[in-house]
Amino acid sequence: MARTAVFFHAHPDDEALLTAGTMAMLAAEGHRVVLVVATAGERGLADLPHGEALAEARTAELYASAAGLGVARVVLLGYGDSGLAPGGGVGHDRPDNAFIDADVEEAAQRLAAVLKEESADLLTIYDPAGGYGHPDHVQVYRVGQRAAGIAGTPILLEATVNRDPLLAGLRLARRFYRFPPEFDVRSFETAYSPGEVITHRVNVRRYAKAKRESMAAHTSQATGGDTDRTLAVMLRVPGPLYRLIFGTEWYVRRDLPPGTRLRHPFDEPPAAGPVTGDDAG
């Protein structure tokens, strides 16, 4: 039976990094995939100046990414990009309509209207940390949680990354590679989610090509600044290694028991059966 999944993200390119494989998989299975984005990312780091020109470029990239993933509908909520100040936090020069300053109830009602219109079966947001802590990502968590409650959306998943292997890999890399001074490996000790709370490990290796093309659509985010952008580095990873590194997408569903291990967004844990004589204490 075809179902509807709504993916809620903060900026264009967030969908490519965290959920593109899952989106492509669900679309290929015949499900309806809807992408809702809070801002146009007009204050992101890029060679284009901040403002309308960057917003137009990133919106066009978003639609190209969505088309390649099989997304049926794209909704832009139209909030301003709050930006990320050096060292984290929100910059003081953010626009008047910055997403981080939006009333959570008002924004949630707008998202809930989409969920109701689509009769959504599933909504993805971010984890409480907002992944790596971007203020707009934290706001996605707050707004999405409330919207799912308003609309009665039955499945709420937090898109995340398994912090444990990520942190181990960064600590190992630090022994052989000198990171830029502003890059603090310790900041990842509270980023994303620990493996023990992750409920869904979705194998998306079959959709690695679609995920890579989704990343590549965001050309403005592959350049800008004095050092290599994360997206550009990811796109240089050879195909087989790319499938290994980016072939799993992780989610947390808070209403499931600890230790749940599922492989598909619409999977439900097996119902606990009656205790038999062999199982009794």
Side-chain angles (χ1 to χ4, degrees):
M1 180 182 69
R3 303 171 81 175
T4 298
V6 176
F7 291 77
F8 184 33
H9 286 283
H11 318 96
D13 88 347
D14 290 333
E15 86 290 345
L17 298 170
L18 282 175
T19 64
T22 305
M23 295 166 74
M25 180 186 73
L26 292 178
E29 291 174 351
H31 301 290
R32 180 172 171 84
V33 176
V34 176
L35 174 59
V36 181
V37 183
T39 83
E42 69 275 12
R43 299 187 69 230
L45 183 61
D47 287 335
L48 289 171
H50 287 171
E52 186 174 344
L54 183 55
E56 290 179 356
R58 297 196 69 180
T59 299
E61 293 167 357
L62 176 70
Y63 276 93
S65 165
L69 296 174
V71 172
R73 179 187 179 191
V74 177
V75 178
L76 284 161
L77 295 184
Y79 290 103
D81 182 358
S82 306
L84 185 64
V90 185
H92 296 296
D93 59 341
R94 62 186 183 271
D96 293 337
N97 69 333
F99 184 47
I100 191 62
D101 296 325
D103 179 78
V104 170
E105 186 68 19
E106 183 271 340
Q109 289 287 353
R110 294 181 62 191
L111 176 58
V114 177
L115 297 174
K116 292 176 181 178
E117 182 180 351
E118 292 287 347
S119 299
D121 300 286
L122 178 152
L123 172 67
T124 74
I125 56 174
Y126 304 134
D127 56 30
Y132 62 91
H134 193 296
D136 282 339
H137 289 216
V138 177
Q139 186 76 324
V140 161
Y141 169 78
R142 298 184 188 122
V143 170
Q145 261 207 331
R146 177 62 183 140
I150 295 170
T153 304
I155 300 175
L156 180 64
L157 298 182
E158 300 169 9
T160 189
V161 172
N162 189 336
R163 179 198 303 162
D164 302 337
L166 173 64
L167 193 56
L170 289 172
R171 286 170 173 162
L172 179 63
R174 185 172 56 184
R175 299 172 58 184
F176 305 99
Y177 175 76
R178 179 174 295 179
F179 290 113
E182 66 274 12
F183 186 90
D184 186 358
V185 172
R186 291 173 300 177
S187 66
F188 286 88
E189 294 174 357
T190 55
Y192 300 106
S193 302
E196 63 189 18
V197 306
I198 291 174
T199 56
H200 293 66
R201 292 161 174 79
V202 182
N203 185 337
V204 297
R205 291 183 186 178
R206 288 180 57 190
Y207 304 94
K209 180 180 179 182
K211 181 167 182 170
R212 190 167 195 146
E213 289 175 351
S214 173
M215 289 184 180
H218 295 281
T219 54
S220 70
Q221 297 308 288
T223 60
D226 298 326
T227 59
D228 280 349
R229 300 298 310 279
T230 301
L231 193 61
V233 172
M234 290 177 175
L235 288 170
R236 288 202 296 268
V237 175
L241 185 57
Y242 183 95
R243 286 191 294 275
L244 178 64
I245 296 174
F246 301 106
T248 301
E249 292 178 347
W250 295 272
Y251 300 90
V252 179
R253 182 172 164 184
R254 300 283 173 179
D255 64 335
L256 297 182
T260 300
R261 296 290 184 268
L262 301 176
R263 298 182 179 182
H264 191 282
F266 289 129
D267 280 350
E268 295 285 351
V275 177
T276 67
D278 291 338
D279 297 325

